[in-house]
Amino acid sequence: YKRQVEEKSRKTQINRLFCNLKHSTMTIDIPLLKQICEISGAPGYEQRIRELVIKKVTPFVDELKVNNMGNVYAIKKGKGSKRVMIGAHMDEIGFIVTHIDDNGFVRFHTLGGFDPKTLTSQRVIIHGKKDLMGVMGAKPIHVMSPDERNKPAKIKDYFIDLGMKKEEVEKLVEVGNPITRYSELMEMGDCVNCKSIDNRVSVYILIETLRLLKDKEVPYDIYGVFTVQEEVGIRGANVSAMDIQPDFGFGLDTTIAYDLPGAAAHEKITSLGEGTAIKIMDSQTICDYRMVAYMKKVANDNKIKWQPEILPAGGTDTAGIQRMNEGGSISGAVSIPTRHLHQTIEMAHKEDIIASIDLLEKCLLSLDRYDWKF
């Protein structure tokens, strides 16, 4: 009897271990995520990130195209005649050179939305004839008047210091050169931290999802679209949606995790570590209620941790995917909770990233088994 009890206990432990392994088989490829986040790609200047995406995603799809605007279409053929578009934008917020003054300091215009105070102490890279490291400079506090100290910073208060004289700068930099922020990806506790988690984490998620689907049969043609110029107006997604004419659509982007000191419960939008977020609406999209219900069902059926997202300000490629085609598409979005958005210290939770991959994959596999009637 004692041996039977011991044997039963041993089998129970083995089963538990097996179950734990089953639920933890997916891990994040940190070197790949690091490469994707750190590479440059300001809006309209996505050459480097596009080249990396093409290299990484080509082995997983049946066809690959690049349209005139620079959007990458990674296409996996399905059984049915319908089309599914997934949008993950490649561009990151950045700047563009507008002027070089007599002392070699560089003035710039923003590409995307910035809170001016976050520019303080940033390192940036000007992509001229070669990459040049610079720093964001502003008037030192020591020489500010009391009135100036109490005023909020403005974009025009900043300049870029390359540590070079005007003549040297002009040999390598010209008006129109793009500028990106400098920050290395690091792991912090259960999270990853870097510039451009928005939206490079979604680029990573889409590549990984297509990798998981490589040898699986999908119901409809999948267009994984790595879009351009989202940060300046959802421009790439608009063009691609008109081209593809999708029946179904998924946006794939970061969202605000305002789970910080001082945040009231109703202000949080999402929280890190509470799972992937299913978008209900943002300022530019009310997601199709059928798609929201479908995504919730898929998440619950597959025991994927999720949280609802209502974003009062800001929009994503979901808007273009939903509306920029004849008749529109049944669209929703997988959102990745992210702290400190549009800073060089953006932070996402590893488990939320994994849950986002899991949800997107499962949604794509069973689109034909849901009742989409009004």
Side-chain angles (χ1 to χ4, degrees):
Y1 175 77
K2 185 178 179 180
R3 282 199 302 271
Q4 286 177 339
V5 171
E6 288 174 348
E7 180 66 14
K8 187 176 181 180
S9 175
R10 187 177 67 84
K11 287 181 178 178
T12 300
Q13 289 176 357
I14 291 171
N15 286 335
R16 284 176 180 167
L17 178 60
F18 179 69
C19 288
N20 288 337
L21 286 171
K22 277 174 63 180
H23 290 287
S24 62
T25 51
M26 191 186 297
T27 57
I28 294 178
D29 184 343
I30 294 295
L32 176 58
L33 180 59
K34 177 180 173 69
Q35 191 177 10
I36 290 170
C37 287
E38 292 180 4
I39 202 166
S40 67
Y45 299 89
E46 296 94 350
Q47 301 95 308
R48 294 184 188 180
I49 180 62
R50 178 166 49 245
E51 184 180 343
L52 177 62
V53 164
I54 291 170
K55 178 182 177 181
K56 296 298 182 182
V57 81
T58 297
F60 309 139
V61 295
D62 301 311
E63 188 178 352
L64 191 134
K65 296 180 181 178
V66 180
N67 73 359
N68 289 339
M69 200 170 179
N71 299 297
V72 178
Y73 298 1
I75 306 166
K76 179 174 174 59
K77 297 294 185 179
K79 295 180 295 181
S81 59
K82 296 183 184 296
R83 294 181 174 186
V84 187
M85 177 177 166
I86 310 150
H89 72 86
M90 297 183 288
D91 59 311
E92 59 181 319
I93 56 171
F95 315 93
I96 191 167
V97 174
T98 59
H99 178 70
I100 302 166
D101 74 15
D102 290 341
N103 294 309
F105 297 116
V106 175
R107 295 287 180 166
F108 58 86
H109 182 70
T110 55
L111 297 174
F114 280 90
D115 178 354
K117 69 176 180 289
T118 66
L119 302 188
T120 302
S121 300
Q122 277 196 29
R123 289 188 175 95
V124 297
I125 304 170
I126 298 182
H127 304 283
K129 291 181 180 176
K130 67 176 185 178
D131 287 353
L132 296 171
M133 186 73 74
V135 294
M136 284 286 182
K139 188 174 183 179
I141 193 170
H142 310 76
V143 295
M144 286 183 181
S145 66
D147 185 50
E148 286 175 321
R149 292 183 189 186
N150 294 323
K151 285 183 178 179
K154 298 178 181 178
I155 294 290
K156 67 180 182 64
D157 295 332
Y158 292 88
F159 53 84
I160 296 171
D161 186 353
L162 293 168
M164 300 162 62
K165 294 180 179 179
K166 180 180 181 180
E167 295 75 18
E168 296 173 306
V169 173
E170 289 182 328
K171 290 176 184 177
L172 300 169
V173 177
E174 62 183 12
V175 171
N177 286 157
I179 306 163
T180 56
R181 302 162 302 155
Y182 174 80
S183 173
E184 295 183 359
L185 185 136
M186 62 180 70
E187 296 179 74
M188 299 177 65
D190 297 321
C191 301
V192 288
N193 188 285
C194 192
K195 61 96 179 171
S196 307
I197 293 289
D198 174 15
N199 188 36
R200 300 298 175 69
V201 70
S202 295
V203 170
Y204 170 81
I205 287 167
L206 184 50
I207 291 172
E208 285 294 278
T209 301
L210 292 169
R211 179 183 65 81
L212 291 171
L213 293 173
K214 181 179 185 296
D215 297 318
K216 295 179 180 177
E217 193 175 69
V218 294
Y220 303 127
D221 289 352
I222 293 172
Y223 285 73
V225 184
F226 300 87
T227 63
V228 299
Q229 298 191 41
E230 188 272 351
E231 294 290 2
V232 289
I234 314 177
R235 299 173 186 179
N238 287 342
V239 170
S240 293
M242 287 190 288
D243 181 20
I244 295 166
Q245 294 290 305
D247 300 280
F248 299 97
F250 294 91
L252 194 57
D253 208 334
T254 55
T255 190
I256 292 171
Y258 185 38
D259 53 348
L260 306 174
H266 68 278
E267 296 177 310
K268 290 186 177 180
I269 302 174
T270 64
S271 299
L272 255 60
E274 293 302 312
T276 186
I278 296 175
K279 185 183 291 293
I280 296 171
M281 66 166 287
D282 57 34
S283 68
Q284 300 193 35
T285 310
I286 298 174
C287 292
D288 193 299
Y289 67 87
R290 294 167 294 175
M291 181 60 81
V292 173
Y294 170 68
M295 293 175 71
K296 289 179 180 179
K297 183 179 187 306
V298 170
N300 291 331
D301 288 351
N302 290 277
K303 296 180 172 55
I304 299 167
K305 195 174 184 181
W306 68 275
Q307 54 189 311
E309 178 219 4
I310 292 180
L311 184 64
T316 69
D317 280 347
T318 315
I321 297 169
Q322 183 188 53
R323 299 197 295 276
M324 297 302 288
N325 59 74
E326 294 181 12
S329 67
I330 301 172
S331 294
V334 177
S335 299
I336 303 88
T338 306
R339 287 181 189 153
H340 321 306
L341 273 174
H342 284 206
Q343 301 184 49
T344 55
I345 52 169
E346 293 176 343
M347 183 182 292
H349 198 288
K350 294 176 187 176
E351 290 182 6
D352 297 341
I353 296 171
I354 291 171
S356 299
I357 297 169
D358 202 9
L359 178 59
L360 181 60
E361 182 205 11
K362 298 298 190 300
C363 283
L364 293 171
L365 286 170
S366 57
L367 279 167
D368 60 335
R369 300 198 295 272
Y370 189 75
D371 183 1
W372 294 102
K373 293 177 184 176
F374 282 108

